[in-house]
């Protein structure tokens, strides 16, 4: 397979973007899902729906609203530009920011399902033993939800790998900065370079397949043995 | 329950798929997204004269080309470039010699409102410059040629941000995410904006927009009437107000004034 240098660069950039997004979403997603699972309020459903919205909006439309959000014509854009030390549009930072929003449901939903299944039970048991809530999360709940964590990370990573519409709107296809695989792939198709498109698509699908298979295998390996709780089953495939 | 629902759904689908009046004339036109507003402007008059309803499908020329090459049921194809109709013709997808130029795109440079010497501004501009992707968008490759003619293509390489097409390039500028960039004059006209510089036409190859009648057209006669109408003097005069150029004369010589 002879893949052009620019395409390798795009592939590397995409892996970097997906990896970083997954890491950030894990850091954001765990406390968020945990808080939600502990929260007994009517508002909770509202927040859960809000988290699901990136699934509903067509990615190009999401990109369009991000474009408005980043715009220096309005206060949020000016503030973001100060916060991130430069405009977010046409930049890798901007892509990470967008991907975190775009893939949020893929991280939060599996975690929420796992925490809902046995979060209450485990945290109450931990509380009875005098373990504080945060320690209970780190020492009890997270280890018990290993399978779900693997699923959530795998889904988030794969979803971000294939991200297209959002990047199309805010990226600017700058090689090494914002030209990810999906964009390079589409450019090949549009320019009628079908051979290059097939090779790149094959690479992308190959990587994703290997990744998801590895995640499934890990999920099965990590499922706590001897406990017959429902949550241990990995949720890859439920969302994907 | 499921069966009843699926019956209802199929009935609905059939109802949608059937034209309101089966023996009515409907003409299915695939048009490049950028030309859609102009087409909608001049269509009512055509429909009035020909008692034929025009159904518009718009998208990127590349996608429409793919669809038509795979026998999508369109009666007329209005592309935003010359390459794709040429390619279709080569592949035997065009009816006879129906391929013709129907509009001439003009390249414009969106610039900040208060500027006067635009060419100098372009030379010294320190920030991002937006253009449509030169590889796939006609206005993108025209922008590249213009930058090459001005000897700026290499110098500005790191500042160029590629939007997917002219429509997105416009959105980048309109949303304030960039202040300088190449768009189509027709976009600026449609939005009623005057903060643009028309690039001298010798700086880039003419952006010829061509049409053709696909072999699968079910109404080649009406499609030809619409093509003639688009190339007629009255529509061309309208198009010039909408930010399009004057058609090259050798193209006007084949003036089929039928249907007027």
């Amino acid at each position: 397979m002879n893949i052009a240098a620019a395409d390798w660069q795009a592939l590397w950039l995409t892996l970097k973007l997906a990896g970083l997004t997954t890491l950030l979403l894990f850091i954001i997603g765990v406390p968020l899902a945990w808080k939600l699972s502990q929260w007994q309020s009517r508002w909770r459903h509202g927040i859960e729906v809000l988290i699901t919205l990136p699934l509903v909006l067509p990615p190009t439309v999401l990109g369009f609203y991000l474009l408005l959000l980043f715009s220096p014509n309005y206060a949020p854009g000016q503030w973001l530009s100060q916060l991130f030390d430069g405009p977010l549009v046409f930049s890798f930072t901007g892509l990470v920011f967008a991907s975190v929003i775009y893939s949020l449901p893929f991280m939060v939903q599996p975690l929420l399902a796992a925490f809902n299944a046995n979060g209450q039970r485990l945290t109450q048991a931990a509380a009875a033993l005098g373990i504080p809530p945060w320690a209970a999360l780190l020492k009890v709940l997270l280890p018990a939800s290993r399978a779900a964590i693997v699923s959530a990370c795998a889904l988030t990573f794969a979803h971000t790998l294939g991200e297209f519409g959002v990047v199309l709107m805010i990226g600017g296809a700058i090689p090494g900065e914002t030209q990810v695989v999906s964009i390079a792939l589409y450019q090949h198709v549009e320019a009628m370079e079908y051979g290059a498109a097939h090779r790149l698509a094959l690479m992308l699908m190959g990587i994703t397949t290997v990744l998801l298979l590895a995640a499934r295998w890990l999920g099965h390996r990590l499922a706590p043995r001897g406990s017959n709780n429902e949550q241990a089953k990995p949720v890859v495939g439920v969302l994907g | 329950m499921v069966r009843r629902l699926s019956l209802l759904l199929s009935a609905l689908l059939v109802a949608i798929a059937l034209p309101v009046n089966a023996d009515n004339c409907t003409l299915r036109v695939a048009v490049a997204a950028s030309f859609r507003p102009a087409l909608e402007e001049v269509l009512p008059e055509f429909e009035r004269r020909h008692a034929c309803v025009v159904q518009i499908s718009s998208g990127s020329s590349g996608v429409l080309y793919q669809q038509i090459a795979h026998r999508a049921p369109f009666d007329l194809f209005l592309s935003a470039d010359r390459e794709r109709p040429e390619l279709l013709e080569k592949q035997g997808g065009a009816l006879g010699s129906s391929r013709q130029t129907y509009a001439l795109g003009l390249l414009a440079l969106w610039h900040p409102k208060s500027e006067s010497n635009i060419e100098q501004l372009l030379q010294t501009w320190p920030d991002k410059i937006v253009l449509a992707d030169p590889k796939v968008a006609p206005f993108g490759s025209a922008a590249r040629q213009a930058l090459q003619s001005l000897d700026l293509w290499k110098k500005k390489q790191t500042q160029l941000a590629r939007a997917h097409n002219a429509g997105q390039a416009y959105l980048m500028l309109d949303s304030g995410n960039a202040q300088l960039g190449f768009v189509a004059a027709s976009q600026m006209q449609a939005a009623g904006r005057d903060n643009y510089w028309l690039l001298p036409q010798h700086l880039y190859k003419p952006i010829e927009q061509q049409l053709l009648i696909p072999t699968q057209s079910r109404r080649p006669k009406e499609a030809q009437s619409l093509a003639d109408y688009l190339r007629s003097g009255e529509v061309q005069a309208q198009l010039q107000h909408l930010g399009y150029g004057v058609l090259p004369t050798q193209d006007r010589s084949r003036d089929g004034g039928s249907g007027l």
Side-chain angles (χ1 to χ4, degrees):
Chain A
M1 293 236 297
N2 52 344
I3 290 181
D7 286 348
W8 282 118
Q9 191 182 33
L11 208 54
W12 167 236
L13 187 76
T14 308
L15 289 170
K16 205 166 71 170
L17 177 67
L20 202 58
T21 302
T22 307
L23 184 71
L24 281 172
L25 269 176
F26 182 71
I27 295 167
I28 297 167
V30 168
L32 185 64
W34 188 61
K35 274 276 172 241
L36 274 176
S37 72
Q38 300 288 309
W39 200 22
Q40 308 293 348
S41 152
R42 273 179 317 179
W43 293 100
R44 179 184 152 168
H45 296 289
I47 301 283
E48 279 189 39
V49 167
L50 206 62
I51 287 170
T52 315
L53 280 189
L55 281 174
V56 179
L57 273 185
T60 38
V61 175
L62 187 63
F64 170 70
Y65 285 115
L66 284 169
L67 211 54
L68 294 185
L69 181 73
F70 294 168
S71 167
N73 292 355
Y74 312 108
Q78 290 161 7
W79 180 77
L80 280 171
S81 175
Q82 277 163 8
L83 186 74
F84 289 100
D85 200 23
L88 281 178
V89 78
F90 310 133
S91 74
F92 182 72
T93 315
L95 291 197
V96 174
F97 185 94
S99 305
V100 164
I101 294 173
Y102 172 71
S103 292
L104 183 70
F106 288 78
M107 179 61 81
V108 174
Q109 294 293 357
L111 291 179
L112 197 55
F115 292 173
N116 278 341
N118 53 14
Q120 289 289 354
R121 196 168 48 81
L122 286 176
T123 36
Q124 273 164 11
L129 294 170
I131 302 170
W134 281 104
L137 170 69
L138 291 175
K139 296 245 158 54
V140 181
L141 191 54
L142 280 185
S145 313
R146 273 172 310 197
I149 289 170
V150 171
S151 298
C153 289
L155 278 170
T156 304
F157 191 85
H159 188 238
T160 312
L161 276 190
E163 185 179 17
F164 172 68
V166 181
V167 185
L168 189 71
M169 290 304 259
I170 62 166
I174 299 165
E177 179 77 25
T178 59
Q179 193 181 36
V180 295
V181 169
S182 58
I183 299 284
L185 192 52
Y186 192 58
Q187 283 176 322
H188 284 318
V189 172
E190 285 272 277
M192 296 180 248
E193 299 159 348
Y194 300 133
H198 295 329
R199 285 193 292 275
L200 199 53
L202 216 57
M203 282 293 292
L204 185 65
M205 293 205 281
I207 288 175
T208 313
T209 307
V210 167
L211 176 101
L212 288 179
L213 280 173
R216 283 190 93 102
W217 176 80
L218 248 176
H220 281 296
R221 282 277 316 259
L222 291 177
R225 283 184 201 116
S227 65
N228 51 1
N229 51 26
E230 292 288 287
Q231 63 80 36
K233 293 199 181 71
V235 241
V236 173
V238 172
L239 276 172
Chain B
M1 181 69 204
V2 173
R3 260 195 59 187
R4 204 179 292 173
L5 259 180
S6 59
L7 268 175
L8 188 70
L9 263 179
S10 5
L12 260 176
L13 279 175
V14 168
I16 291 166
L18 281 177
V20 186
N21 205 336
D23 46 320
N24 243 353
C25 159
T26 38
L27 198 59
R28 281 160 311 183
V29 178
V31 58
S34 59
F35 192 72
R36 184 179 182 141
L39 181 66
E40 283 174 335
E41 185 110 350
V42 300
L43 268 186
E45 182 57 20
F46 174 81
E47 286 176 323
R48 201 181 54 77
R49 288 181 203 173
H50 290 263
C52 201
V53 179
V54 178
Q55 233 178 38
I56 299 180
S57 304
S58 68
S60 86
S61 302
V63 171
L64 294 173
Y65 154 79
Q66 294 273 6
Q67 291 175 340
I68 290 167
H70 291 116
R71 319 284 301 163
F74 288 115
D75 303 313
L76 183 66
F77 175 34
L78 303 173
S79 185
D81 65 0
R82 188 193 172 108
E83 284 71 28
R84 288 186 173 92
E86 265 178 350
L87 204 64
L88 263 176
E89 193 178 46
K90 254 197 225 110
Q91 294 162 339
L95 208 64
S97 57
S98 58
R99 184 173 61 86
Q100 289 176 298
T101 303
Y102 68 94
L104 199 65
L106 295 178
L107 184 66
L109 183 74
W110 168 305
H111 58 74
K113 272 208 161 55
S114 52
E115 298 296 337
S116 51
N117 189 344
I118 307 303
E119 210 169 332
Q120 198 189 342
L121 177 81
L122 186 59
Q123 304 267 3
T124 55
W125 187 256
D127 218 344
K128 284 273 186 289
I129 302 171
V130 175
L131 75 167
D133 190 345
K135 246 174 94 175
V136 298
F139 278 94
S141 64
R144 180 175 57 196
Q145 290 157 14
L147 283 168
Q148 282 166 337
S149 310
L150 294 167
D151 205 20
L152 290 170
W153 177 250
K154 284 217 165 63
K155 273 181 224 157
K156 299 284 176 191
Q157 200 48 244
T158 51
Q159 290 167 244
L160 298 177
R162 290 166 172 78
H164 181 59
N165 53 32
Q168 266 187 34
Y170 183 87
L171 178 61
M172 288 284 176
L173 294 152
D174 193 33
S175 62
N177 283 290
Q179 282 72 47
L180 196 73
F182 292 91
V183 291
S186 57
Q187 294 170 304
M188 301 302 274
Q189 287 287 59
R193 291 181 157 280
D194 58 359
N195 57 318
Y196 69 94
W197 178 52
L198 267 185
L199 279 100
Q201 288 187 48
H202 65 265
L203 294 179
Y204 60 95
K205 280 213 289 283
I207 307 168
E208 287 181 58
Q209 302 193 185
Q210 295 206 321
L211 56 79
L212 63 69
I213 300 171
T215 39
Q216 61 263 35
S217 173
R218 284 188 223 163
R219 294 197 171 267
K221 216 167 90 241
E222 285 84 355
Q224 189 57 56
S225 307
L226 180 51
D228 293 338
Y229 171 71
L230 288 175
R231 292 168 40 78
S232 68
E234 58 170 323
V235 171
Q236 286 303 318
Q238 267 175 292
L239 286 183
Q240 276 160 47
H241 285 296
L242 296 173
Y244 290 90
V246 182
L247 283 195
T249 40
Q250 75 267 16
D251 262 310
R252 300 295 299 274
S253 61
R254 278 187 49 193
D255 200 15
S258 69
L260 296 177

